[in-house]
Amino acid sequence: MLTTRPVPGTPNWIDLGSPDIDASVAFYAAVFGWTYQSAAPGGDGGYGFFQRDGGIVAAVGPLSEHGATPSWTVYFHTSDADATRRAVEQAGGTVRTEPDEVPGAGRLAAFTDPTGADFAVWEPGGITGLDTVMEPCTLIWTELYTTDLAAAQEFYRSVFSWTYQEMDAGDGSTYSLLSAPGGGDGEDSAHGGVLQLGPEHLAAGSGSEWHPYFGVRDCDAAFAAATGHGAGTLIPPMDVPGVGRLAMVKDPAGAVFALLKGDPSMT
């Protein structure tokens, strides 16, 4: 499970690349009740923090890379961004942003795995990571859709030493739970999952991508709020045995995220 005291290889930050910060702030305020605080003194419409009850639950910033499209980026904890960079290259990944210092906060680097999924790492400094996770309207899960399950598993095993527990997805496909060393034992140690894209998705041009799941008290109500404020539907609310009720949408700019109300039988 996710924690605000992550170990190397587990998620410790997420941010949204947006073409219109004000529009994104308004949308996520309507869906989750988030507020926005600029990271720059006085505010400049640039990088800033989404907050709930005074704690940071995510961040948002302008699209800064050439050709970038609106999306959520998942960051994984590292104790050495330079070492992770070397591990990524050795495992066949691509460096998008070299390890760089964020004064007073920490160091970041951004990469693309060999199947095409973008992700990043955060080496904590003054900011260790998100203030709140595993609560309603906060990050509760991360997930990778991939065009090549075996290649993705091998890459992240090499970079983060992840282990995998295969689960039956119920439709003939396999779902892998992801765990990092030091994150605990058994299913409770899992911080995310990875799923092979099916032939129909590949034929439609779907590519590899990470996306976040946000916890909600009522999946149908949150879905209605999202779509009512301009989100597009990818997966309408549905029950998943042993997991809960989930939905997946694209925000008005096109960034993908999921909503999940956990199955009470799992608590």
Side-chain angles (χ1 to χ4, degrees):
M1 66 187 298
L2 303 184
T3 173
T4 55
R5 295 182 178 179
V7 298
T10 59
N12 63 349
W13 195 258
I14 51 170
D15 63 18
L16 172 67
S18 170
D20 186 331
I21 301 295
D22 290 341
S24 293
V25 168
F27 172 79
Y28 288 97
V31 177
F32 296 128
W34 291 349
T35 58
Y36 168 80
Q37 180 181 356
S38 175
D44 62 357
Y47 199 86
F49 309 118
F50 282 126
Q51 296 182 317
R52 183 170 175 81
D53 297 329
I56 298 173
V57 296
V60 59
L63 297 173
S64 56
E65 295 181 43
H66 178 70
T69 57
S71 62
W72 282 97
T73 298
V74 178
Y75 289 68
F76 300 98
H77 180 289
T78 180
S79 58
D80 187 334
D82 296 287
T84 302
R85 177 200 185 281
R86 292 190 293 270
V88 165
E89 288 196 312
Q90 290 170 1
T94 302
V95 177
R96 294 183 3 257
T97 302
E98 294 283 351
D100 191 26
E101 186 83 20
V102 180
R107 301 184 76 228
L108 66 82
F111 310 107
T112 303
D113 76 21
T115 77
D118 293 339
F119 69 100
V121 295
W122 179 251
E123 180 184 334
I127 295 179
T128 58
L130 301 176
D131 291 326
T132 309
V133 296
M134 299 303 293
E135 294 183 8
C137 301
T138 71
L139 182 68
I140 63 170
W141 193 248
T142 60
E143 192 168 70
L144 171 64
Y145 282 1
T146 181
T147 58
D148 190 330
L149 178 63
Q153 288 179 323
E154 182 56 34
F155 172 78
Y156 291 104
R157 180 185 293 113
S158 177
V159 174
F160 295 124
S161 300
W162 285 353
T163 57
Y164 304 93
Q165 183 176 353
E166 308 299 328
M167 308 288 288
D168 184 355
D171 59 359
S173 60
T174 299
Y175 191 84
S176 293
L177 299 179
L178 315 173
S179 299
D185 298 317
E187 291 184 22
D188 287 343
S189 70
H191 62 258
V194 57
L195 182 68
Q196 169 73 49
L197 288 167
E200 69 280 9
H201 300 107
L202 298 176
S206 295
S208 299
E209 97 177 342
W210 282 97
H211 48 256
Y213 276 65
F214 299 110
V216 292
R217 291 189 173 90
D218 184 325
C219 183
D220 295 83
F223 175 79
T227 54
H229 287 84
T233 301
L234 294 176
I235 301 174
M238 61 179 291
D239 292 320
V240 179
V243 175
R245 189 163 177 81
L246 65 82
M248 186 174 290
V249 299
K250 283 187 175 182
D251 76 12
V256 176
F257 66 95
L259 306 163
L260 177 61
K261 164 62 177 176
D263 187 340
S265 69
M266 299 298 288
T267 62

